[in-house]
Structures are given as structure tokens and as C-alpha cells.
Amino acid sequence: MDSIPLGLLILLLILCLALSAFFSASETAMMSLNRYKLKHQADEGNKSAKRAHHLLKRPDRLIGTILLGNNFVNIAATSLGTVIGIRLYGDLGVLYATITLTIVVLIFSEVAPKTYAALHAPRIALPVAGILAGLVHLFSPLVALVNLIVRLILRPLGIKTDNAVEEALSNEELKSIVQSGGDDAESSEQQDMLLGVLELEDVSVSEAMVPRNELEGVDLNDNWDDIMQQITTSRHGRLVAYRDHLDQVEGMLHIRDIVLLMRDNAFDRTALRQALRPCIFVPESTPLRKQLLQFRRAKARSGLVVDEYGDIQGLITLQDILTHIVGDIGDENTPDEPPEIVEQQKNLYTVEGGIPLRQLNRELGLKLPLDGPNTLSGLIIETLGNFPEAGTELDFPGCRVRVLDFADGIVGSAEITCQPGESGEDD
């Protein structure tokens, strides 16, 4: 060492510190990569992403190679620093070199590169993936020996390092990822749609159906003029055909099936009975995702929702399921309806009593209970245990609800005051 020029020793020391920073940044960047984004990039044909994805399939080999290289250059840097210190300051040079190298390595070879790599993982990891792949291949015998020793140490603890375990994200984790997206209007609409898709498994048909009290139908026992009046004035394309009461259903009447008959004056009771289609009955607890698949298999667009006793509770259509995903689509033939949620001022909203609780929770950031009634009106009545009066106030998690009007057993509208710090609407 005495024959090596001091300048060359300093240059080698700087090189070792730079390599230490490289290994530190590479390790943090590789371990900070989003595995799902990386797989998508690899599937798209990104060669660097393919290399990185392949390396992360065996993290034991990757980490072993990086640590091997990092420790080698750190020990080399320590030795070079000691030699330089002794040459410059004699025996005290060992102390000076130890203090100086500790600070330099900590700042420039550990904290700084690791922090930058954690913040910009793809920018670091993808370009160095090829270099790391070459080092893994080069040092594979030595790394294999190290990993064998590590496996022997970890095996008694029940830890296996042969393969990386990629756990599938749960529905709730996927929702959290979706909700962490952008805050602009377009991103918000996309988030709502994705959340609607993810909720298809959680939401039952009873939460999305048209309730029984809002169903329009045709009583086949009525006189013919009343039946024609019901058919010609209906705003819907499907009507439930029944006798005397809804539970004695005969079938579904699709208006498009009788348009030509009505035009040709060939529509009578016989033609009406012949035009009826069989009803599909759907248990009220069926998840929307399952019902969507059933509609596709049966090539149907609607079904009658029944409870455990077989009583009809409502009507679920394909459009109701799509509405849950993309929001209210509307109809060009019907006038625009007022929005279900109207912001009066910051944290103060007027809402319809029949609004689904899931929609309220999603749009206002509330945490209203979902294990009971499906609508705000139902929640208010269940909580009180009685019918409310106008002006009745109730406290729920994150908000206060005041009934504005109540009639015919249903809360028509209510006022919701979100409480800052609890509802998520105070930012």
C-alpha cells in the first residue's frame, strides 16, 4: 500500500463510496416497486420491467447479491480510509478516518441514495435491473452458498425463501387504492365507477332494486279500459302482470312485444296473455355481481326480487345494476329529476330519504351502518323505533340528520350536517 500514490487511494475511496450508494439505492428502489404496475409494464413488453420482475421472483438471490456487493465496497472503503488517514495523520489518522467515513457513508452512501430511491423507485430500479441481473449471474455461486446458510438458519423458524409470495389484494385493499387516486373531477368520476364495480360483490339486489311500492303493473282482473290506460300511460318498458295483488304474478309484459298489435287493433285479452313472458325470480340476498352473470347466462334484463317466504319485494333490472356502477343514466324521454344530494353550504346537504346508504357513504365520506336498512329513510325509522316527525334530529357517526318531511311511512327528505374531522369533508 505504501507504494500506491495517495491520489489513487483517494480516487479508489470515492469509487467505493459511489458503488456503495449504487447498491443502497438499487436495493431500496427494487424493494419499493409496485409489483402490480411492474407486472403490467412487463406484460406490455418493457424489457427493463421484465428483468426487474424476474429478479423480484427470487428476492433472496437479489438481496444476497446487493448485500454482497455493498458490504464488499464498504469494507474496501473502510480499509482505504484507514490507510489514507495513517498516511496523513499517523496513528490519529485511524480515529479521523473512522469518524469521517461514518458520516460520509451514512449521508452519501446510505440515507441520501435510499431516500431518493424510495421516492423515485421506477426511475432507479428499471435502468439498473440489467446491471443487477448481470451481477446476480456473476455472483450466483457465492450467493447460492450464502443463501444456503441463510435457509438453514431460517428453516427452524418455519420461514421459506425459495419463492416470493405475491398475495392477492382484497376487495377493501383495492377500494383503498382506487380512493387514493387524483382529486380532479375526471378522476373522481373514474373512482366512483371503479368503486361501483368493486362493490358488486358486497351489494345485494335488495339494495339496488325498484322497491315493491314503486312497481308499476297491470291487474289482469281489471276491466279492459283500465288495463289499456295503465299500458298506454306507463313510463316503463316492462310491467308486472298479476291478478288482484302483486304476489299473484302471471308474467312480465314488455311493451315492445305489443306495439305492433296495438297499432293494428289486434290487441285484446288473449293477445295480452300470449305476450306475457315468464318471470325470473331472484332471492333478495343475491349479490349484484352474481345477478349480473345470471342475467347474461339467461339472456334476460329483469327479475322479480323475492324474500325468504317467496313474497315479491321489488324489481331488479340490468339498468339498475349499471346505474350502481356508472350512476344515474337517465332517459331522454323523461324529464330530468332533481339530484338526490344537494349541497346547501359547506358540510350541509339536503338529501332524499330514499337515497341508498352506500351512495351517501361514498359521496359524503360518511360511515353510516350498512348491516341493516338500505336507505336513509329506513335507517332513521329503525334507529327511532317509530315514525319520525319533521324536525326530528338523530346523531350518526360523522354527521347529524334532521328530518325535513315525512309522509306515508317514508322520510321524504332530510338535512345532513357533516361533522368536520369525522366525515372526511373538512379538507
Side-chain angles (χ1 to χ4, degrees):
M1 281 287 187
D2 293 339
S3 60
I4 300 177
L6 183 61
L8 181 58
L9 292 175
I10 294 174
L11 185 62
L12 291 173
L13 174 61
I14 294 173
L15 177 62
C16 287
L17 294 174
L19 289 173
S20 177
F22 166 80
F23 285 117
S24 296
S26 299
E27 178 186 6
T28 300
M30 292 296 294
M31 295 300 110
S32 299
L33 282 175
N34 184 309
R35 306 295 176 91
Y36 299 96
K37 286 185 178 179
L38 183 65
K39 187 177 186 305
H40 173 70
Q41 290 176 312
D43 293 340
E44 290 287 311
N46 187 313
K47 293 183 178 180
S48 297
K50 286 182 179 179
R51 293 193 194 99
H53 186 258
H54 179 72
L55 289 172
L56 289 172
K57 287 182 178 179
R58 289 292 305 273
D60 55 329
R61 294 195 306 177
L62 175 63
I63 293 175
T65 300
I66 292 175
L67 292 180
L68 183 65
N70 204 9
N71 280 285
F72 177 80
V73 294
N74 281 342
I75 293 172
T78 301
S79 301
L80 289 169
T82 301
V83 171
I84 293 172
I86 292 175
R87 281 203 190 180
L88 294 176
Y89 303 105
D91 292 340
L92 281 177
V94 177
L95 177 61
Y96 295 155
T98 302
I99 295 173
T100 303
L101 279 179
T102 298
I103 297 173
V104 171
V105 169
L106 182 64
I107 295 175
F108 296 102
S109 297
E110 293 291 335
V111 177
K114 286 186 175 182
T115 301
Y116 182 81
L119 295 174
H120 306 282
R123 188 181 299 179
I124 298 293
L126 297 186
V128 304
I131 300 174
L132 293 177
L135 292 175
V136 168
H137 180 72
L138 179 64
F139 295 137
S140 56
L142 185 56
V143 172
L145 176 62
V146 172
N147 285 337
L148 176 61
I149 298 173
V150 171
R151 281 196 293 271
L152 293 175
I153 295 173
L154 295 179
R155 184 171 295 171
L157 302 177
I159 301 174
K160 296 181 179 180
T161 62
D162 294 333
N163 294 296
V165 178
E166 295 187 7
E167 296 183 358
L169 291 176
S170 68
N171 232 28
E172 295 304 316
E173 290 170 333
L174 285 171
K175 290 178 186 177
S176 298
I177 292 173
V178 170
Q179 289 171 330
S180 65
D183 296 327
D184 56 280
E186 183 177 352
S187 296
S188 179
E189 291 180 358
Q190 293 173 348
Q191 288 173 16
D192 288 342
M193 290 178 63
L194 288 172
L195 288 173
V197 172
L198 294 173
E199 286 180 351
L200 289 181
E201 188 63 45
D202 303 327
V203 181
S204 64
V205 294
S206 62
E207 297 181 58
M209 70 181 182
V210 178
R212 177 182 178 125
N213 65 313
E214 296 181 14
L215 283 183
E216 288 191 23
V218 175
D219 187 347
L220 299 178
N221 287 339
D222 282 348
N223 65 65
W224 186 246
D225 290 338
D226 288 341
I227 292 176
M228 289 297 296
Q229 177 71 13
Q230 287 176 307
I231 293 175
T232 55
T233 59
S234 175
R235 297 182 296 111
H236 302 286
R238 298 176 183 85
L239 297 175
V240 183
Y242 58 90
R243 294 190 183 276
D244 294 329
H245 56 82
L246 197 58
D247 289 317
Q248 291 186 354
V249 64
E250 294 283 326
M252 293 294 296
L253 177 64
H254 291 227
I255 301 299
R256 65 182 181 182
D257 293 341
I258 61 173
V259 169
L260 294 179
L261 293 174
M262 294 177 69
R263 187 193 66 180
D264 297 337
N265 294 322
F267 185 58
D268 53 18
R269 286 187 182 273
T270 302
L272 173 58
R273 286 194 297 269
Q274 292 175 347
L276 296 181
R277 297 191 187 186
C279 291
I280 294 176
F281 295 97
V282 181
E284 60 182 348
S285 60
T286 304
L288 289 184
R289 183 193 65 81
K290 183 177 179 181
Q291 188 55 42
L292 185 62
L293 295 176
Q294 289 177 347
F295 277 155
R296 187 178 69 177
R297 283 194 289 265
K299 296 183 179 179
R301 289 176 170 266
S302 63
L304 290 172
V305 181
V306 295
D307 63 12
E308 57 183 319
Y309 304 106
D311 295 332
I312 294 174
Q313 301 299 309
L315 176 72
I316 185 71
T317 67
L318 181 60
Q319 182 171 344
D320 293 328
I321 300 177
L322 295 178
T323 297
H324 178 79
I325 299 174
V326 303
D328 191 12
I329 301 173
D331 190 332
E332 61 182 4
N333 297 319
T334 58
D336 292 337
E337 296 182 356
E340 293 180 297
I341 301 177
V342 178
E343 184 175 9
Q344 303 295 341
Q345 60 187 56
K346 185 175 177 62
N347 294 325
L348 180 64
Y349 303 86
T350 300
V351 302
E352 291 186 4
I355 188 171
L357 294 177
R358 287 185 185 274
Q359 182 179 345
L360 267 180
N361 285 348
R362 187 193 307 169
E363 297 194 23
L364 300 187
L366 300 175
K367 296 182 179 179
L368 298 174
L370 301 175
D371 54 353
N374 298 325
T375 65
L376 179 62
S377 176
L379 179 63
I380 292 172
I381 294 173
E382 182 184 81
T383 303
L384 287 174
N386 204 340
F387 291 141
E389 298 178 353
T392 300
E393 294 189 357
L394 300 94
D395 288 322
F396 294 102
C399 68
R400 170 168 290 184
V401 178
R402 184 167 69 90
V403 177
L404 296 181
D405 64 84
F406 178 85
D408 300 325
I410 298 174
V411 175
S413 61
E415 187 179 79
I416 294 182
T417 304
C418 296
Q419 297 171 359
E422 297 184 36
S423 67
E425 291 291 313
D426 55 318
D427 38 43

